[in-house]
Structure formats: structure tokens, C-alpha cells
Amino acid sequence: MKSRIHAHVGTMRQLEILLAVHDQGSINEAAKALFLTQPTVSIQMRKLSDAIGEPLYTFVNRLLIFTDVGLELVKTAVEVLDSFARLDMTLGNIRKTKPGTLRLAVVTTSKYFIPHLLGPFCEQFPDVDIQLNIGNREKTIERMKQGIDDFYVFSHPPQDIDVQSLEFLDNPLVAIAHQDHPLGKRKSISLADLCDEPFLMREKGSGTRYAIEELFKKHDLKPNIKMTIESNEAIKHAVMSKLGITIISAHTLTYGGQSGLIRLPVKELPIDSHWFFLWPTSKRPTLIASAFLKHIETNGRKLLQNELDRSALD
């Protein structure tokens, strides 16, 4: 007997609204993203929930939390919409174009260079729509477990998820301070010297924090953590305000600006790490995802590495 669930899951538009609510984390933000009214989004979600016969999400302390049923429907919605996207791209390929949607979920530090990777690609494929989701490590891992996106970007990939990966760019972590900091006058600094200074640290769950903690642990040292900050930009401004020193990805300086900041010549640095593109092994890549992967492996990787090398010489 054939399943009739497809007769109840609603229209394509409802599935699009469902994904918007999931990605935005609220009815109101989903409505803004889709240029709809909040009541319209609420009504469509209620209709979809009624059709399934189960609640799709609940509210906990005013936070919208998807139920297990809701998360399963999100996975199905992604598959259904991707199927139509593949059809669009197949037809477009026949017509010598590649329209469609490319979905990326990246950790916050990579937001500095990802636009520089997307720019040349979008010039080559101007009809492609880009959905770029930027979040912390935990949020991006959760999206990867649900298989929502085509690609995920990490500096320290999770080890417990079945994915394919491509190492595509160096991610050196360097120490920075205000340009007038006394340590900036020294030609050589040890990691132990940093422990005497107020240290600005990324939040728990951050890949950058993980790498920093591993470095200090390796040398049996503990930094003097003065502040924990969830944003690279906020950390940079805190350093500019002479609140402390930090270790940060060189990409935040290459693409995010380094006015008023200096790199400290720490003997144990930089921390050598790398950026990876990951994609689910079980998910069939779309034509546009395959084209983007080819772009990364060729022109994209070379472009970003040249920018990083040039910045290191400044």
C-alpha cells in the first residue's frame, strides 16, 4: 500500500515557509525574510501542523523550538525543494545556464572570506540564488546533522558525522594587541608572556577557542582570561580599546581590517589550522553545488590563499 503522507504535507509554499521559520528561528523573522505578514506565516504553519496531525514546534522561554516531527518535516522539505531545484538546474543546463539555489552554512570566523569566494562564482553564474547562514559552531553542526545545506565550513570539522570534506585554505591563528602595547616593542615573545596579560577569549563551542585551549594545554599554561566575547569584531574592538590581547584567525585581519592593531611575534605561533568545506555523504549534490565545488578547488582556493599570503607580508 502506497503512503499517502504527501497528500497531507501541504503546498510547496508552506514548505518554503517552514524552512524560513526553522532557519530564522521565529515567526516574525521568517515573515520579514519572506516579505509576508506575521499572521500569514502563523496561519500557514498552523495549517501544516493540522495536516500532519502533530505540533511542529513549541515555545520554551519564548524561544521557538522544533519538535522531532517538525525536524523530520524540515528534512523532507529540504529534499522536496532540492528535487525541484535540481530539475530547474537540469533544464537550465540544457539551455546553457545554471539557475538554482546554493545553500551554505558557515561558522562565524569564515564570514570574512566566504563573500570573496562567492563574488567570482556569482559573476560566472549570475542567476544563482545564494542562501548564506552564519552561526556558531554548535548551530552549524546542528544544521549539518539535519542536512539542510549544500556545504558547511569549519576550521575543526566534527568527527562523528558521515561527511566528505575538502581542505581548501590555511587558517593561521595569530596573537594581536593594540599598536601601543608594550609587547609590541619586543622582537620575540613567548606564550608564557601572554599569560601575564589580560586575555580576551571566544565563547565555549568556538573552534578558535578550542585551538587556543589546546595550545595552552600543550605548554602547560593558562591564559589570564579577562573577558569572554562571542564576536570576532567585538574582540578586535576590545583589543583596540586596550582591554587586553587575544589570539585570532588571521582572516579577521586580512578581510576585516587591522587598523590600530599589531601582530605579536610569539614564538609558539601561529597555530596551524585549516578551513574545510564539508558536505553530507548521503546527499546527492545538485549541479550548482558541483559547479561551486569545482570553483573552490581551482580559482577560489588560489584567490583566497594569495590574499592571506599578501596580508602576512604587510
Side-chain angles (χ1 to χ4, degrees):
M1 180 176 172
K2 295 183 179 180
S3 169
R4 299 293 298 168
I5 187 64
H6 66 277
H8 303 288
V9 296
T11 65
M12 293 285 290
R13 186 55 171 165
Q14 285 177 336
L15 296 183
E16 291 174 344
I17 293 174
L18 172 73
L19 289 184
V21 172
H22 177 269
D23 289 352
Q24 299 297 327
S26 79
I27 299 295
N28 187 46
E29 292 302 317
K32 291 179 182 179
L34 296 172
F35 300 100
L36 298 174
T37 65
Q38 185 172 340
T40 297
V41 173
S42 296
I43 290 171
Q44 293 303 316
M45 288 299 91
R46 185 163 59 250
K47 287 182 177 180
L48 192 53
S49 179
D50 291 343
I52 294 296
E54 296 282 349
L56 304 181
Y57 50 79
T58 60
F59 289 93
V60 178
N61 295 328
R62 296 186 178 182
L63 293 178
L64 189 151
I65 307 296
F66 269 72
T67 63
D68 290 342
V69 171
L71 290 175
E72 286 300 319
L73 186 55
V74 166
K75 292 181 183 179
T76 299
V78 170
E79 293 172 359
V80 170
L81 295 176
D82 274 353
S83 294
F84 279 93
R86 282 196 296 271
L87 176 60
D88 282 343
M89 285 182 282
T90 299
L91 297 177
N93 196 40
I94 293 173
R95 302 184 185 102
K96 305 303 181 183
T97 61
K98 290 179 180 289
T101 299
L102 179 69
R103 297 187 179 92
L104 304 174
V106 307
V107 295
T108 51
T109 302
S110 66
K111 70 180 181 181
Y112 294 99
F113 61 81
I114 287 296
H116 297 269
L117 194 62
L118 290 172
F121 181 74
C122 290
E123 288 183 3
Q124 186 178 2
F125 302 111
D127 295 328
V128 171
D129 292 328
I130 305 294
Q131 292 185 7
L132 178 60
N133 185 280
I134 301 171
N136 61 26
R137 177 179 172 84
E138 293 179 356
K139 178 181 178 182
T140 307
I141 288 176
E142 185 59 33
R143 290 182 68 90
M144 185 161 63
K145 288 180 178 179
Q146 297 174 31
I148 296 174
D149 308 282
D150 295 304
F151 295 103
Y152 306 86
V153 176
F154 290 92
S155 58
H156 296 85
Q159 302 298 315
D160 57 347
I161 304 177
D162 187 15
V163 294
Q164 298 184 63
S165 66
L166 171 68
E167 179 184 315
F168 78 102
L169 184 66
D170 294 339
N171 180 35
L173 302 183
V174 298
I176 63 171
H178 186 274
Q179 62 186 5
D180 296 330
H181 197 286
L183 287 180
K185 300 177 181 179
R186 295 168 56 176
K187 294 183 178 181
S188 181
I189 303 169
S190 70
L191 190 65
D193 292 329
L194 298 189
C195 296
D196 296 329
E197 304 293 330
F199 195 87
L200 310 177
M201 181 69 89
R202 281 293 302 272
E203 79 283 5
K204 290 185 178 180
S206 160
T208 300
R209 177 173 181 138
Y210 171 80
I212 294 172
E213 289 179 335
E214 288 298 304
L215 176 67
F216 278 99
K217 186 185 301 182
K218 175 182 177 181
H219 293 277
D220 196 26
L221 296 169
K222 288 186 177 181
N224 176 25
I225 299 176
K226 180 177 182 179
M227 296 177 64
T228 299
I229 306 176
E230 295 187 2
S231 161
N232 283 314
E233 283 303 302
I235 283 183
K236 284 170 56 179
H237 282 283
V239 175
M240 292 176 188
S241 300
K242 303 182 180 181
L243 291 175
I245 62 175
T246 192
I247 295 175
I248 199 168
S249 170
H251 292 287
T252 65
L253 304 177
T254 302
Y255 296 104
Q258 49 188 314
S259 176
L261 301 174
I262 56 171
R263 299 191 190 191
L264 298 176
V266 180
K267 290 183 291 185
E268 293 85 354
L269 294 178
I271 301 175
D272 293 323
S273 62
H274 305 275
W275 286 111
F276 295 84
F277 266 90
L278 286 76
W279 60 97
T281 302
S282 60
K283 186 174 182 178
R284 180 182 176 183
T286 63
L287 289 175
I288 202 63
S290 297
F292 184 65
L293 187 61
K294 183 177 180 180
H295 166 68
I296 295 169
E297 292 177 310
T298 54
N299 299 333
R301 173 158 42 190
K302 184 177 180 181
L303 171 68
L304 294 182
Q305 191 63 55
N306 286 344
E307 287 292 329
L308 183 61
D309 292 343
R310 182 160 49 249
S311 174
L313 296 175
D314 293 340

